[in-house]
Amino acid sequence: MKDKRAAGCHFHFDNNFAKGQSTFGGIDLYQIGEICCESGYEIAPHLQFCLELSCIVSGSGYFIIDDQQVPVREGELLFNAAGHMHTIRTDTTGPLRFVYMGFMFNEEAGDEFAGMHDFFQSAPFHHAKDTYNLMMPFFRNIDEFYSQKPHSQIMIKNYLEEIIVLAYRTFTEKDGPAPRYAPAKSAHSVGYTVYSVIRYIDNHIFELKSIRMMAEQLGYSYTYLSHTFKDKTGMTLQRYINHKKVEKALELLKYGNISITQVADRLQYETVQSFSKAFSRIMGYPPSHYVALQREANRPLSE
């Protein structure tokens, strides 16, 4: 199957740069963009000349590195090392959408980046679930290239470094035990306990299904955690979680350009209806209204 770029893409936003043309500190950026491919689409085999990170936004397909076929789906990351053959094939069941960037470290990169480079090149590819939600800095960075607002160069450099560091953390942590929070349980630790809950929610908003699950991970009883949080903050723990999920939903709907159903699924709501009700209780209007407001705000003045 040949590369059908013209006929096989719903859309393709791409920025390509020659070596030395786009440098951000210790990072030489070669390409950054987003592509949505029709079912059955294939990018022809090509030699990977730089490091490349892809974040799957929706759909499913296969990344083929050398002779190994790796199935990928929504919410996953795939990192390709340089010097290996690379092919991308969309599943036959529907489109595949992903964001990507190709880069190399240059002589200005410090020792920490050198260690990351060695890790990224230690295998033909690295594959993991996107536990740090890299999709958001990816989209913000692409938006900086698209809009070219004042000081975009500073923002692009910061986003590039954030994406690379979080990708490194994702791949190096994925095979180890899940980090377990164990705050001190002394008579004077109530404030720290509440803070550890807040931090846990911030770091696990996409995996958080219940307070009981969180209490178990933190090493507390459900009753103690709920009572302590309400006593210290004046807000029930469930209400706080609801607010944080809606806050993340606003971010996804504004920057991620993904559907309301996908957002509900990412945030572990059982149905899109339950998500819409939770959203409406906090915002005063449904998520569909927020999407319409964002569409209107982004409409060109010439229309």
Side-chain angles (χ1 to χ4, degrees):
M1 186 183 299
K2 64 181 180 179
D3 182 359
K4 303 186 286 272
R5 282 189 185 274
C9 294
H10 290 298
F11 64 81
H12 189 191
F13 174 71
D14 190 30
N15 284 272
N16 288 284
F17 312 99
K19 184 176 181 180
Q21 187 183 52
S22 190
T23 296
F24 301 90
I27 301 167
D28 287 332
L29 188 65
Y30 291 95
Q31 60 178 171
I32 184 168
E34 176 184 7
I35 187 170
C36 184
C37 313
E38 295 178 359
S39 59
Y41 174 91
E42 181 178 301
I43 295 178
H46 57 280
L47 183 65
Q48 193 66 37
F49 70 93
C50 64
L51 303 172
E52 185 175 83
L53 176 66
S54 299
C55 177
I56 312 302
V57 178
S58 61
S60 60
Y62 302 92
F63 278 47
I64 304 164
I65 300 92
D66 294 332
D67 295 323
Q68 186 165 355
Q69 181 171 278
V70 183
V72 296
R73 64 183 301 274
E74 177 181 328
E76 294 182 346
L77 302 176
L78 197 295
F79 198 103
N80 297 283
H84 298 271
M85 294 301 295
H86 182 207
T87 307
I88 300 172
R89 183 180 302 139
T90 307
D91 203 339
T92 56
T93 59
L96 172 68
R97 180 183 173 197
F98 61 95
V99 287
Y100 58 90
M101 69 180 208
F103 68 96
M104 291 294 284
F105 297 108
N106 59 43
E107 62 276 2
E108 292 187 25
D111 292 340
E112 288 185 338
F113 281 124
M116 292 182 202
H117 176 269
D118 291 344
F119 170 78
F120 289 140
Q121 278 294 129
S122 65
F125 69 92
H126 299 278
H127 179 215
K129 183 178 179 181
D130 181 14
T131 54
Y132 285 99
N133 192 27
L134 267 69
M135 185 179 74
M136 296 318 302
F138 247 120
F139 274 123
R140 289 197 184 100
N141 212 6
I142 291 172
D143 184 62
E144 291 294 333
F145 278 96
Y146 182 79
S147 62
Q148 288 297 308
K149 297 176 182 177
H151 310 299
S152 280
Q153 295 294 102
I154 297 173
M155 297 298 294
I156 290 169
K157 178 178 180 293
N158 289 337
Y159 284 135
L160 288 174
E161 292 178 350
E162 178 184 358
I163 292 167
I164 292 169
V165 170
L166 291 181
Y168 175 76
R169 287 180 180 178
T170 300
F171 294 126
T172 54
E173 293 172 358
K174 77 182 185 75
D175 294 324
R180 185 177 179 84
Y181 289 71
K185 300 178 182 63
S186 70
H188 306 288
S189 68
V190 173
Y192 185 73
T193 300
V194 171
Y195 179 66
S196 69
V197 170
I198 291 171
R199 288 294 307 277
Y200 184 94
I201 293 169
D202 283 342
N203 292 328
H204 298 82
I205 194 68
F206 292 106
E207 300 95 51
L208 188 54
K209 294 183 178 180
S210 70
I211 296 175
R212 291 189 184 278
M213 181 194 75
M214 178 174 62
E216 181 180 340
Q217 285 292 312
L218 290 167
Y220 292 107
S221 73
Y222 167 86
T223 303
Y224 172 80
L225 206 61
S226 298
H227 174 77
T228 301
F229 192 91
K230 176 67 162 59
D231 181 64
K232 199 70 176 176
T233 67
M235 177 186 291
T236 66
L237 185 49
Q238 187 59 61
R239 184 183 174 198
Y240 180 79
I241 292 171
N242 290 342
H243 275 267
K244 295 302 291 186
K245 285 197 173 188
V246 169
E247 179 183 292
K248 184 58 68 175
L250 291 170
E251 184 181 29
L252 289 168
L253 291 170
K254 182 175 182 178
Y255 294 104
N257 193 26
I258 60 177
S259 71
I260 293 171
T261 300
Q262 286 176 293
V263 172
D265 184 62
R266 291 275 178 95
L267 292 171
Q268 300 295 327
Y269 285 92
E270 290 186 1
T271 65
V272 69
Q273 289 79 13
S274 62
F275 166 65
S276 294
K277 288 180 180 178
F279 189 100
S280 297
R281 279 196 298 268
I282 292 171
M283 297 300 298
Y285 50 78
S288 57
H289 180 66
Y290 179 76
V291 171
L293 290 175
Q294 291 302 310
R295 189 180 297 119
E296 183 66 27
N298 294 325
R299 181 177 297 172
L301 296 176
S302 58
E303 288 189 6

